[in-house]
Amino acid sequence: MRRLIVLVPLLLALLNVSAQELKVTGKVTSKPGNEPLIGASVVIQETGKATSTNVEGMFSIQAQTGQTLKVSYFGMETARVKITSAGPITIQLAEDTKLLEEVVVTGYQSERKKDLIGAVSVLKMDEALKETNANLLTSVQGRISGVSISTDGAPGSNATINIRGLGSLKNNAPLFIIDGMPANDINGISPNDISSMQVLKDAASAAIYGARASGGVVIITTKKGNAKNVGVTFDAFAGVKTPRNYLDMLNAREYGQVLFQALRNDGLPTTDEIYGSGPEPVIPAFLDDAKTIPSADVDYQKETYRSALNQSYNLGLSKNVDNSSFYFGLNYNKEEGLAVFTDYERINARLNSDFKVSKRISIGENFTVSRFGGVNNPGALPATLYQMPIIPVRDNLGNYGGPVKNLGDRLSPIGNLERNKDNRNRSFKTLGNVYANVNLFKGLNYKFLFGVDAVNYRASVFNPTFVEGRFSNTEATLTENSSNALNLNATHTLDYQLSKGKHDFRALAGYEWIHNKFENYSASARGFFIETSNFRVLDAANTMSAVNGGGAEFALISQFAKLDYQFNNRYLFSSTIRRDGSSRFGPGNKYGVFPAASFGWRLSEEDFFKNTSLGSKVSDLKLRFSWGTNGNQQPIDDYSYTTSYRKQIDFSNYDVTGSNATANVGYITTQIGNSNIKWETSIQTNVGIDLGLLSNRLYLTADFFVKKSKDLIVNPVLAAVSGEGNAPFINAGDVRNTGFEFLLSYRNENTSKFKYNVDLTFSAIKNKVISLGEDGQAVYLGSKSRIISGQPIGEFYGYVADGLFRTQAEVDAHATQVGKGLGRIRFKDVNGDGAITPDDRTNIGSPLPKFFSGLNFNGSYKNFDCSLFFDTQVGNKIWDDNTFNYKFPLFVANHGKVLLDAWSPSNPDSDIPALTTRNTNDEQRNSTFFLGDGSYLRMKSIVLGYTLPKNITSKAKISKARIFVQGQNLLNFTKFDGLDYEVVDNGTLDYGVLTEAAYPHSKSVSLGINVGF
Amino acid sequence: MLGSCTKDLDQAPKGALREEALNTPKAAEGLVVAAYAMMDNVYQSNDFAPISAIFNPASNWSYSDVRSGDAYKGGGGTGDIAPLGNMELGNVTADNFLIARKWRALYIGVSRCNKALKSLNSLSDAEFPLKARRIAEVRVLRAHYYFDLKRNFRTFPYIDESVPLGEEGKVPNNLTEQQLWDKIIADIQAGINIPYDGQDKGRINKYVAYAYLTKAYMFTKKYTEALASANEVINSGKYSLLSNLESLYSDPLVEHNGENILAIETSVNDGATLNGNIDWGDLLTSPSGPAYGGGDGFHRPTQNLVNSFKVDPITGLPLLDTYNNSDLTPTDVTTAVDPRLDHAIGRPGITWKDFKGEVYSVSWARDANTYGPYSKKKNLISPNSTLRASGGFPWARGALNFPFIKYSDVLLWKAEALIELNQNLDEARELINQVRTRAKNSPVVKKLDGVTPAANYVIGTYPALGWTQDYARKALRFERRLELCLEGHRFYDLVRWNAATDFLNNYYQTEGTKRPYLAVGNFVAPKLNYLPIPQVEVDLARGGLIQDPNY
């Protein structure tokens, strides 16, 4: 490589011999600024003859009049000039602000996007935010290569974000940096306040955040004042959402038919407490003997889910005078849940200001205060599917209809939700920082930043008395929860920049201190004479039943340094080193050192390249290579280096006095310590290419990476004989993620009336556990999955359901399988020993997709604009917990309509096992029967907008007014037959599990306006 | 504020003791309490703890009663906790998670005992005057956990306080069954000097140790020794049979009145997050009727068990050989039955304890189609007790203790020992009759009017005539079933009597005609006499544990 760099300029010099004609001279400068541009490419279009500008921006070249001079410079718009004389000609190049000159924040400093040599995704916020969502991550989902985001449909939306694969067994969350300070999450942030978002994906880019960066880093910068006069923007939208999917469940009559058919298949008398004892099920007038609960035929999904209203209002004020600026944002967002009585509400105010104190000193702050929270669903959702349809919504006494006799044990989902409707949780969050920038002398800047992220959380849960079918609660209870989280951080950085000729140096050194403190309290009480909202306080209760409280703290102290060097805009080099100390590790292992280096070569600036026919078509070509290490301490708990014994009332305490009303204090092991636990490290190598064609109108960023996590922090399952307590965390295991990702964007000529751009992101990541456990061969079992070396994390584990037995011959020919028979599931004799035993369990599929991709289209014609966003995910398996009741009538609950099509001798092609009330074939064992193909393609959003003509709006002193209509999730294509193809990780070893309680996603249509004054 | 010094990196857990703080009398007392606390088998795990103890009940209703012909699994259909359904039918495999949970719960108990012993051993008598007494208590507790391991598993590693922390996984399961029993018995014997002074009623005293010794000797067929230790309990005068069966089975206020010798001590309003340190393992066994605001309807009495309460209307004696020839129909209140039937089992039309709203009906029984109309009634708290944990969930849980050893059990062991030794058969008869007489004299279940007996209750005592060893043995075994049903004893009794194969295969056949899902049941001995070592433990031990060769 190095040899090549030396040789290439020599070769170029040789090639640059030219004939004698007219000698044209000139100067190339920037617009605005009129700064000379060094190294701009100057080409005679007709002959391909080329040169470049010198340090004064001057050039001279042989040409003939009438020919065209093409002047291009990286990051500038290309200019074409007809040659009329020998000059000197002055050519001004306008900045190509759209794409590459953009300044991005990459870690304690900012740099030009074009100089990026790591794998950094810069999100196009304006496009992402066309998709309006309460949760920023929902808008971003699918738009960044290498970044997978999964959400659920709950109001406010729970989202998990994962950058470049699962590198750690449990905690793969990235680090969020909001306006320069680390934050645990982005709750309470309004998407409207965000001006840019970058994702640092490779280790070299993230290494400056060393300690916590192994899951990648998401950098969010909020808006700054940018208008000369006070700029005012107002945005509002309101929309309606409905469930994206329903499961087809049996109705009251069909339930009886399925039950009776199952009994007949079992050779049992067709008799049921509700459906009678005749040959066919009969729906009685009343369900209970007291005749208070009339029979009904309820579709509980339809009763529970509604057309829910979403609304958001945002006001932004900004001003920038003499380099001092302020931005004020006020946002209100309210999202009703699809399920009745649930919602999410957020109000926040942000004030960002930057004040230039003197020529050398500026100070500023970025702060947001927000209050957010809502009414969650109290676990009512599974009952929307499984409540018996024959149970009425309300009985004749006005109570919610509940199960009686053998109608299951589920409370009415609506009753459950209604009783919970005032159980609102609230978080009050203050997030922000103050900073000072001091220019010590030319090129050297000192920055101090002090940040705070404080969250006060309150939730009260009141459970009133009620009667519902055979369920009742005769004593109301109240639990009040409160917690405080305080995260402080302080950063000092020194940033030095020096440009000398073709050399650009930049050095950064810093010190960071982070302290996290958490406290929580809760109190419970029982028995309320009066249950109205005024009495839902602890003091109104008859008995206090429990008081709990606790806390935790951790601290991080880090030093870091970074050195960047660029030569002639062509060779870019960057190296970082960071040392982190964490209180989570024991003495001797607190510190980890994380180095990284990256190299970039802007080939397109090389004359030898520019002057080739290929080179003249290429507007930008940069090769990138990076290597680096990042740390991870998230998987361990705050004090897990040491063995702790605690009182845990529910487990350690015991009434040794036999009093019935007290429990003596006991101590149990809650954590088995490992003083040798140290940082988990991920080492990542990234090779990338940035390629711009057609004056960068077609742009490709592609990366290939290998990310290897070593010293994986794992929490092994301990043999029972070791006793209790969290198993010691150990460093034992390696995981490798190999991936390929690209972003391909195209925009058409600016001159065209119809303007459009298209972006395609693509990511394919392969995950493999290389070794696990102290001997490298350990096996971790989740309830549905198994982690073992040689397989991806989360690989499902179980039997292979090999279709149904359709003929007696098939039954007879099959291996010994207890309970096998016609219409039953045939489990595969994987080890071929002639019997179905636990040894026949095997790896049955991965929850990780083979690839995922997003396609964004943005277009505008005159005053109309349109954007479309599609995303897809291919090749992942979903474990559908709903299969348990949906496809088997073995549990007293409603079932899927598919059971009407179950296998029978007269319906021999069905894939649904024959109906039975017994489970002799043990068909609910973990098997492929529960797995579905999670691949999908959807149109995630479509937005149509119309900007009112200027001549109308200017009369009202409005600078811009746009109205838009938006649709989300309107088109979905998937083979998955379950309720929802999007699955959120639940923090266990089981990935890709669609739980019965999953909050289904919605589709929505909304209407909105954007106004600027 | 500008960044603190590196001392900030030294953080210690809040509210937690670290190892170096364990060797104090207060910590030792706390560790001993925790060793007791595992009697309910409730442990912290990643699932719905403490509720998840439903999968490893200390009462053994799932491991014993559901495998014994006394109870069906119950719940919401055969798919509800399907792994238990497999065990019910004799389809027992090492990957059944219910087995792994039991094993884990018991070893947590063992581990807590060993940690307490380590701490106690580090103290001098002067530092901690109760040292010797606490050590003895903890050794009996450890025996309790190992005893439960022994009757459930044929083979397992024996770990005591001499094994260093962290090395437990290296201990092989190479002791013979006799060696395991010897260690258990040695630990129990450590307890026979603990004074009985009436303090701390929930703790182990010398008579608890003697009672436990009796139990261990019965399981090892050392009848002479069993007799001697049973006599220690009986002659102490500290224990007696309660005169009222309903309060024995329902009322937390009488649980220290002399019948319960060793029980899970439960409490409510004690600061626990879910209203009390209750017997979560039995959560699922409440009927789903209005008495408790709901219930899960597991652990359901079999028709076979109900039939066994039928008596000869003249003598009031059980129908030892013919009891199952015909069924006592669900609402039959005229056939003569042992009064204990309606104390132990919920039958349609019969009053439920002190619940006045309505009588028990088939609508209380969950999935009666599959599991019949009956519910367990025994050891569920009175619906009106002030010591219930709440007015709804967790249903019939509260401060009512679950008994491991009752005085009636000791009386019947003594009778059994005498019968097996073939000496003093009349004394054995007298002991059995003592138990029967209590039932006879106890107030019977009344109709809602509180006056009229709810059914035709008849019970008599065994006469001397015809009281041979064979007959006595048969009567004794039947009496144990009637007196102690649904308390987690039956399966272990069948195994120690070597009677499981005959009884259960006959049961699957006959009961299978009434509850068809049972028809495929099959009991294979000696395999099913014990559970296999959980597969996960075999795997984790990497060859260190040898599976029960029958699996």
Side-chain angles (χ1 to χ4, degrees), chain A residues 909-960:
Chain A
D909 295 328
S910 171
D911 291 323
I912 302 295
L915 299 176
T916 174
T917 61
R918 312 180 206 170
N919 187 25
T920 49
N921 196 32
D922 191 12
E923 292 178 348
Q924 298 191 326
R925 65 180 94 183
N926 287 353
S927 80
T928 53
F929 197 78
F930 289 81
L931 290 181
D933 181 350
S935 306
Y936 69 82
L937 167 68
R938 69 167 157 182
M939 185 171 75
K940 188 166 166 249
S941 85
I942 176 167
V943 183
L944 297 169
Y946 176 72
T947 304
L948 269 55
K950 274 250 157 51
N951 54 11
I952 299 176
T953 53
S954 59
K955 284 175 194 154
K957 304 220 162 147
I958 291 172
S959 62
K960 185 190 177 187

Side-chain angles (χ1 to χ4, degrees), chain A residues 268 272 470 472 492 513 515 526 553 590 641 645-646 650 654 656 660 669 718 724 775 891-892 917, chain B residues 2 8-9 11 14 17 30 76 78 80 104 112 115 202 255 265 268-269 273 288 293 369 516 537 542:
Chain A
L268 300 176
D272 180 79
R470 63 177 153 79
S472 62
H492 306 267
W513 166 82
H515 194 102
R526 315 161 44 175
E553 263 178 275
K590 289 194 184 298
Y641 67 91
Y645 292 76
R646 285 176 192 271
D650 297 327
Y654 192 69
V656 286
N660 286 329
T669 320
L718 275 193
E724 69 199 311
D775 60 355
F891 188 83
V892 182
T917 61
Chain B
L2 302 185
D8 220 17
L9 296 184
Q11 297 283 344
K14 298 185 190 306
L17 292 178
T78 52
D80 195 359
R104 184 164 287 269
R112 288 189 188 180
K115 284 169 181 167
E255 61 202 9
E265 294 291 337
V268 293
N269 294 331
T273 43
S288 60
N369 278 354
E537 301 295 339
R542 305 287 173 81

Side-chain angles (χ1 to χ4, degrees), chain A residues 648-664:
Chain A
Q648 282 194 330
I649 299 175
D650 297 327
F651 306 106
S652 65
N653 288 13
Y654 192 69
D655 183 17
V656 286
T657 62
S659 69
N660 286 329
T662 56
N664 295 49

Side-chain angles (χ1 to χ4, degrees), chain A residues 258-272 276-279 889-890 915-920, chain B residues 78 367-371 511-520:
Chain A
V258 164
L259 176 67
F260 275 33
Q261 186 57 46
L263 292 168
R264 275 193 292 270
N265 289 354
D266 291 340
L268 300 176
T270 50
T271 172
D272 180 79
S277 301
L890 292 170
L915 299 176
T916 174
T917 61
R918 312 180 206 170
N919 187 25
T920 49
Chain B
T78 52
D367 195 9
N369 278 354
T370 310
Y371 294 114
E511 200 81 352
T513 62
K514 303 159 197 170
R515 309 278 174 250
Y517 77 94
L518 283 171
V520 296

